[in-house]
Amino acid sequence: MEETNLLLALRGKTVVITGASSGVGLATAEAFSKYGCKLVLAARGEEGLAIAEQRCRALGALVLTVPTDVSDYVAVQQLLSHALAFGGKIDYWINNAGVMASGRFEEIPIEVSHQVVKTNLLGYLNCAHAVLPIFRQQKFGVLVNNVSIGGFMPAPYSAVYSATKFGIKGMMECLQGEVSDEQHIHICNLYPQIQRSTGNMHSAKYSGLDFKVPPFAADPKDTAQQLLKLTVQPKKDKFPDFSSWAIKVVHDLFPKIVVNTASAGMRLMMKLKDAAPNGGNVLRPSNYPHRIYGETIIPVPSKTTKQALGFGMLLGVALVMLAGKKK
């Protein structure tokens, strides 16, 4: 949509964003700030929320921060109450808060795995359960879920994280059916690939893993724009870019090859690296840095290079599919 149309559509809207203190969540908060929205920013850490509030106010938004652990349903209900008192209504709710633990399944402490489920799966469940009755009372509202490509394919050596993403996808698809008789209530799912955000820096790592984001990961600001656009142009399911869709297609064609190859790569990294276990932000709020972008293995390539690689991937997928039809 054109900027003028977005401004008309979004001005004065009340938007709740979870996981808003860094990464995609912070990028999303900043994206909405440019259109005169009333923002309710939620995350566990007060320090990160304070930085997010300052950045969004500088862009012209009215901001309320509510420290919230989405795995706690009482805390989510309090977030909802604060949001209603602040904005008088809730137009859009962005489910984004999430944590990740990587490593051999049996080497990740069970309390860490349990919390991944509580934050990711139960967090999205809690938020949906709290806000959908408000949407029904209002007769309008959009719930947007940042699900991840992990809703379609497993992340290597991240079994519990993968389970939560598959679970979110299934739960939200069912809820889409439940609100299908409500003309102005929508549930939208976005399936982005790995992000060049602080998410990896903050994640828990075990089994000697110590890795940085690959340079061809998606720009969190681009993903944030797609989350924003889903609020004004609701769509049940969306891939934010070509790469996310292509990864999903390749996995659909060669699931065992993709999973086994990715797992082999992770095993190699575990042999080459011998980092100390790091619990990350699973059991506690994210530490510094509270920013959008994380560290990459090598400098990020230009958009032209990314486009060339994207076309190369598309051509490769097309050739594979063509070869399969000839057999």
Side-chain angles (χ1 to χ4, degrees):
M1 295 178 67
E2 296 180 359
E3 291 295 301
T4 302
N5 292 335
L6 282 174
L7 184 61
L8 291 173
L10 293 171
R11 182 181 292 277
K13 295 293 193 295
T14 303
V15 187
V16 178
I17 304 172
T18 68
S21 61
S22 62
V24 173
L26 178 57
T28 304
E30 290 189 1
F32 277 102
S33 296
K34 301 173 184 177
Y35 298 103
C37 296
K38 297 177 182 178
L39 295 184
V40 182
L41 307 182
R44 289 172 297 171
E46 295 187 21
E47 180 181 354
L49 281 177
I51 294 172
E53 178 181 12
Q54 183 179 19
R55 293 175 64 153
C56 291
R57 286 189 185 278
L59 293 170
L62 295 174
V63 184
L64 173 69
T65 60
V66 184
T68 306
D69 181 348
V70 295
S71 70
D72 180 349
Y73 187 60
V74 173
V76 171
Q77 289 178 310
Q78 292 173 346
L79 168 62
L80 180 75
S81 296
H82 285 298
L84 287 170
F86 177 67
K89 57 184 173 55
I90 297 175
D91 296 282
Y92 313 128
W93 187 294
I94 313 295
N95 267 340
N96 171 76
V99 293
M100 183 176 188
S102 302
R104 293 184 181 88
F105 175 73
E106 66 274 18
E107 293 183 6
I108 298 175
I110 194 64
E111 63 271 18
V112 171
S113 292
H114 284 179
Q115 189 59 48
V116 171
V117 174
K118 290 177 183 177
T119 300
N120 295 4
L121 181 57
L122 296 186
Y124 278 44
L125 183 158
N126 288 341
C127 291
H129 193 274
V131 77
L132 282 178
I134 301 302
F135 286 170
R136 290 189 187 277
Q137 292 173 15
Q138 298 174 162
K139 302 296 184 183
F140 65 86
V142 182
L143 172 63
V144 179
N145 300 292
N146 184 7
V147 183
S148 148
I149 192 68
F152 286 94
M153 56 185 291
Y157 283 89
S158 300
V160 177
Y161 172 86
S162 297
T164 65
K165 296 303 179 177
F166 274 72
I168 292 169
K169 178 176 180 291
M171 175 172 59
M172 293 304 169
E173 285 184 355
C174 186
L175 291 180
Q176 286 171 342
E178 291 193 22
V179 301
S180 60
D181 60 339
E182 299 279 0
Q183 184 179 359
H184 301 295
I185 297 176
H186 304 278
I187 297 177
C188 309
N189 298 327
L190 190 72
Y191 298 100
Q193 61 149 319
I194 186 172
Q195 300 291 300
R196 184 163 54 92
S197 71
T198 53
N200 179 67
M201 297 174 68
H202 293 156
S203 69
K205 303 177 186 68
Y206 296 88
S207 305
L209 285 171
D210 180 18
F211 57 91
K212 296 180 181 178
V213 177
F216 299 105
D219 189 325
K221 289 187 177 181
D222 292 340
T223 302
Q225 281 297 319
Q226 296 302 318
L227 290 168
L228 181 149
K229 289 180 179 178
L230 279 174
T231 62
V232 294
Q233 294 179 328
K235 186 177 180 181
K236 286 187 176 182
D237 300 289
K238 185 176 184 180
F239 293 94
D241 51 35
F242 169 79
S243 297
S244 300
W245 173 83
I247 292 169
K248 188 258 185 188
V249 170
V250 171
H251 173 264
D252 287 348
L253 290 170
F254 311 105
K256 291 184 179 179
I257 293 175
V258 170
V259 173
N260 291 345
T261 300
S263 297
M266 291 287 279
R267 280 194 293 273
L268 178 61
M269 291 177 63
M270 284 185 246
K271 291 180 179 179
L272 297 176
K273 299 284 186 179
D274 190 21
N278 175 8
N281 67 347
V282 176
L283 299 177
R284 56 176 173 77
S286 300
N287 284 332
Y288 178 85
H290 302 293
R291 65 188 190 208
I292 294 174
Y293 294 106
E295 298 176 348
T296 56
I297 299 172
I298 60 175
V300 178
S302 67
K303 286 190 175 181
T304 302
T305 302
K306 287 185 176 180
Q307 289 173 353
L309 287 170
F311 283 121
M313 287 179 64
L314 178 60
L315 179 60
V317 170
L319 290 174
V320 168
M321 294 177 70
L322 182 61
K325 288 182 179 180
K326 290 182 177 180
K327 290 182 180 181

